[in-house]
DNA sequence: CTGAAAGCGCTTACAG
DNA sequence: CTGAAAGCGCTTACAG
């Protein structure tokens, strides 16, 4: 019924519980013979140390807290994929904390701290720098390492891993301009994401350099909302190229253009962000900026393990490479 | 620096720690005046009880373990969306346990048990009934409620919530047959998922009743693999209708058909499962069987809360309704 | 190399 | 209604 405890193991192996604890945590410190004896009993009893008790006694839970806003976003689940794989490799458990928009940031981070996680991966890119600061302070007060994962902050004290979204947009916009296109749009979201604001900044810089007018079009990520929105607006506004902050938005826009009788990419070029399945399934196939989201998650988790163990790290700000995948829409 | 403990609160409020504990857990049992005094100090100190210590003392962690195989699957992340929202509502924390294919099932479930979760949501539908039994036994030995979430099992003792995938496939196949189509395929995965086997069973039953030959085509969920696979096989095999176990597979198949010069749905009807964004973004828009995955997650989590609290439940096997969303591909 | 003992920060009967 | 004390299942100095 109830599971074996360390007392059961100690009793059956005829050693003290300290010894059992040692074979689990510092096996090299115990005599090989007694170690074998204890290991045998552990196996027989199917004993696994109670993680909660261990956490209380050692002040280490070997679990990391993941703070996010929406699991169903394609980028979030890819990020999680990378995080989970690396966490498993380093034997960390994962606890998910979702921050609903209305909830207080301070309350959210305090909850995570109260759960005694050993480290925090912060994936919520909907916060401004003031709110990010609250998170930073609470984490550092509690002495818990924190890594921003695919979240942008210029605070040099905040560890982070992401790609250079600004440069990605800048370069891509430049290419579009070089093709002679002028009515270029950046299709962004109504919700302000720190990551998307970087994409916008790069676009705006390139447009400005070319003496062109920046046009950031904000809409919903929801197809049933953005489709009519595109249909209406672009009925009267010229456009010959667009970069969307997500593949799905790019495809939605592309479909609207095609329905209006435009040719892609001849009349209008369309580029998406992330390189999801949407891009491959679209017709024409979507050209997009490949953001290695899985890798960002994995690298962030790896960085966090180092921070938690107090290992030296080269840098606290990691920028992963991105590339443009040219397909048929540009 | 380090956070306030219950001792700090008790000291500053000039009461015993038992009293502080009570205002947190059984506020009605403490005098209003002292309760107010304690609450005030709690607020001042920003005190939050250490969840680990509480877990050890109370034998309740208010966390549920989610066992899954792959977060990046669209169905998994929607399931998680529903789970997270309901868990939050009932103040449960969520811990993710990923089961890599090669890992021992027994080891996986023991790990979850050792983490002292109060309940388990099992989302991994890649296991056979023997393996499912191991999970069931370990959970019940440890007295931890378990709910299969979008996983099929005919064991009447296993709580589960899903839709009737068999009927969904059966009905849809019937409709296709009623249109006079005969060369009907079920596009499934190489990996055996319990959910997909139900989809196959319903299809096969309908085909058998109509005296038609069942043709289950197994391929990868990876586009770069299934696309050439479809191209080759359907170059020489006739097909006038197909139901795919996932939207993305349906769209991939549809694209191959269109590239071969077929008309959808005139020459070949295509139907997907789940009703994801892929379906809406496809051209023509994909007709599909809507599986309310978010709801399945939410309902499973709700059922689990009842089980954890020992509340009475009407049934331990919940079947949610599904429907066919008719768009352009059938 | 091994054991006895204190302690992690709470909860929960048990008294009063 | 409130407090003193035991206990949850471990880890970790400290002795020996």
């Amino acid at each position: 019924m109830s599971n074996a405890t360390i007392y059961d193991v100690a009793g059956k192996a005829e050693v003290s519980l300290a010894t059992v604890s040692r074979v689990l945590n510092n096996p090299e410190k115990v005599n090989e013979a007694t170690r074998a004896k204890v290991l045998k009993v552990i196996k027989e009893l199917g004993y696994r140390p109670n993680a909660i008790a261990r956490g209380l006694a050692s002040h280490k839970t070997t679990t990391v807290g993941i703070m996010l806003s929406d699991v169903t976003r394609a980028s979030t689940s890819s990020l999680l994929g990378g995080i989970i794989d690396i966490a498993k490799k380093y034997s960390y458990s994962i606890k998910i904390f979702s921050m609903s928009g209305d909830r207080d940031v301070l309350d959210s981070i305090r909850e995570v701290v109260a759960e005694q996680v050993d480290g925090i991966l912060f994936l919520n890119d909907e916060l401004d720098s003031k709110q990010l600061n609250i998170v930073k302070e609470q984490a550092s007060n509690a002495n818990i390492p924190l890594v921003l994962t695919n979240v942008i902050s210029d605070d040099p004290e905040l560890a982070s891993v992401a790609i250079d979204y600004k440069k990605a947009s800048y370069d891509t916009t430049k290419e579009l301009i070089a093709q002679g296109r002028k009515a270029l749009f950046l299709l962004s979201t109504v919700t302000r994401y720190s990551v998307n604001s970087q994409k916008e900044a790069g676009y705006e810089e390139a447009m400005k350099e070319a003496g062109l007018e920046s046009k950031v079009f904000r809409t919903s990520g929801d197809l049933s909302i953005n489709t009519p929105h595109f249909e209406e607006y672009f009925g009267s506004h010229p456009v010959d190229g667009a970069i969307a902050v997500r593949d799905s938005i790019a495809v939605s826009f592309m479909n609207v253009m095609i329905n209006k009788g435009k040719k892609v990419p001849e009349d209008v070029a369309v580029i998406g962000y992330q390189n999801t399945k949407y891009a491959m399934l679209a017709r024409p196939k979507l050209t997009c900026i490949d953001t290695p989201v899985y890798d960002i998650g994995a690298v962030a988790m790896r960085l966090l393990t180092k921070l938690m163990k107090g290992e030296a790290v080269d840098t606290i700000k990691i920028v992963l490479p991105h590339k443009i995948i040219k397909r048929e829409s540009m």
Side-chain angles (χ1 to χ4, degrees), chain A:
Chain A
M1 155 78 238
S2 148
N3 281 279
T5 71
I6 197 171
Y7 297 98
D8 300 325
V9 176
K12 194 165 177 193
E14 298 177 303
V15 296
S16 73
L17 47 163
T19 298
V20 178
S21 177
R22 272 185 217 106
V23 343
L24 256 18
N25 302 305
N26 301 294
E28 70 285 358
K29 288 188 180 170
V30 19
N31 176 320
E32 187 165 339
T34 72
R35 195 200 313 166
K37 186 170 59 176
V38 172
L39 251 16
K40 185 161 161 283
V41 174
I42 286 177
K43 198 159 203 175
E44 285 170 12
L45 262 37
Y47 169 72
R48 291 200 63 143
N50 177 321
I52 300 300
R54 169 179 267 185
L56 184 58
S58 67
H59 299 284
K60 295 248 160 292
T61 53
T62 59
T63 104
V64 308
I66 314 292
M67 299 180 75
L68 48 79
S69 59
D70 182 6
V71 241
T72 63
R73 267 164 68 192
S75 57
T76 305
S77 60
S78 284
L79 245 19
L80 273 181
I83 291 167
I84 288 175
D85 287 351
I86 302 301
K88 193 169 194 101
K89 188 167 169 184
Y90 288 90
S91 299
Y92 281 95
S93 294
I94 281 178
K95 224 159 178 178
I96 302 284
F97 297 89
S98 88
M99 311 175 64
S100 30
D102 51 326
R103 179 99 158 294
D104 191 44
V105 176
L106 180 59
D107 198 44
S108 293
I109 178 70
R110 279 205 174 140
E111 180 191 350
V112 179
V113 170
E115 295 269 358
Q116 307 292 118
V117 298
D118 291 349
I120 297 173
L121 249 30
F122 197 83
L123 317 200
N124 183 348
D125 64 341
E126 300 177 22
L127 269 48
D128 59 34
S129 62
K130 214 172 79 191
Q131 297 180 101
L132 228 37
N133 243 311
I134 294 176
V135 174
K136 174 187 167 184
E137 295 215 326
Q138 293 295 316
S140 91
N141 280 349
N143 230 319
I144 303 176
L146 169 70
V147 176
L148 302 186
T149 310
N150 207 32
V151 172
I152 307 300
S153 162
D154 47 18
D155 182 339
E157 290 179 347
L158 274 171
S160 69
V161 3
I163 71 162
D164 189 342
Y165 288 104
K166 190 173 170 184
K167 185 168 190 323
S169 274
Y170 177 84
D171 289 348
T172 308
T173 305
K174 282 285 220 190
E175 275 202 56
L176 251 13
I177 292 169
Q179 292 182 346
R181 304 181 191 267
K182 295 187 164 29
L184 262 22
F185 280 74
L186 194 283
L187 309 177
S188 192
T189 49
V190 173
T191 311
R192 305 293 176 126
Y193 300 104
S194 67
V195 152
N196 289 355
S197 71
Q198 291 297 105
K199 296 174 189 171
E200 294 167 19
Y203 157 81
E204 283 166 348
E205 191 173 317
M207 293 297 276
K208 195 175 172 189
E209 281 183 20
L212 261 21
E213 186 194 351
S214 287
K215 283 169 280 198
V216 175
F217 184 87
R218 298 190 184 283
T219 187
S220 165
D222 186 328
L223 297 182
S224 59
I225 297 174
N226 68 34
T227 298
H229 197 183
F230 286 143
E231 279 166 352
E232 195 229 307
Y233 185 86
F234 292 103
S236 54
H237 294 77
V239 53
D240 60 11
I243 300 175
V245 296
R246 294 183 197 166
D247 285 340
S248 63
I249 294 175
V251 176
S252 179
F253 173 79
M254 185 163 72
N255 286 343
V256 167
M257 288 297 112
I258 291 171
N259 282 346
K260 284 188 186 299
K262 304 269 190 190
K263 293 240 173 296
V264 174
E266 295 80 355
D267 300 335
V268 46
V270 183
I271 294 158
Y273 251 103
Q274 191 175 337
N275 192 23
T276 57
K277 269 188 189 177
Y278 299 119
M280 279 296 292
L281 288 172
R283 298 170 52 77
K285 290 188 188 124
L286 191 72
T287 286
C288 54
I289 298 161
D290 181 49
T291 64
V293 192
Y294 175 94
D295 294 348
I296 292 175
V299 171
M301 181 64 213
R302 179 66 184 110
L303 174 60
L304 185 62
T305 63
K306 289 181 183 166
L307 262 21
M308 291 187 292
K309 290 177 189 160
E311 290 175 15
V313 296
D314 294 338
T315 172
I316 211 178
K317 293 273 186 198
I318 300 180
V319 177
L320 261 32
H322 63 270
K323 58 174 185 286
I324 297 189
I325 310 264
K326 299 233 170 145
R327 283 197 271 251
E328 302 166 356
S329 68
M330 164 189 165

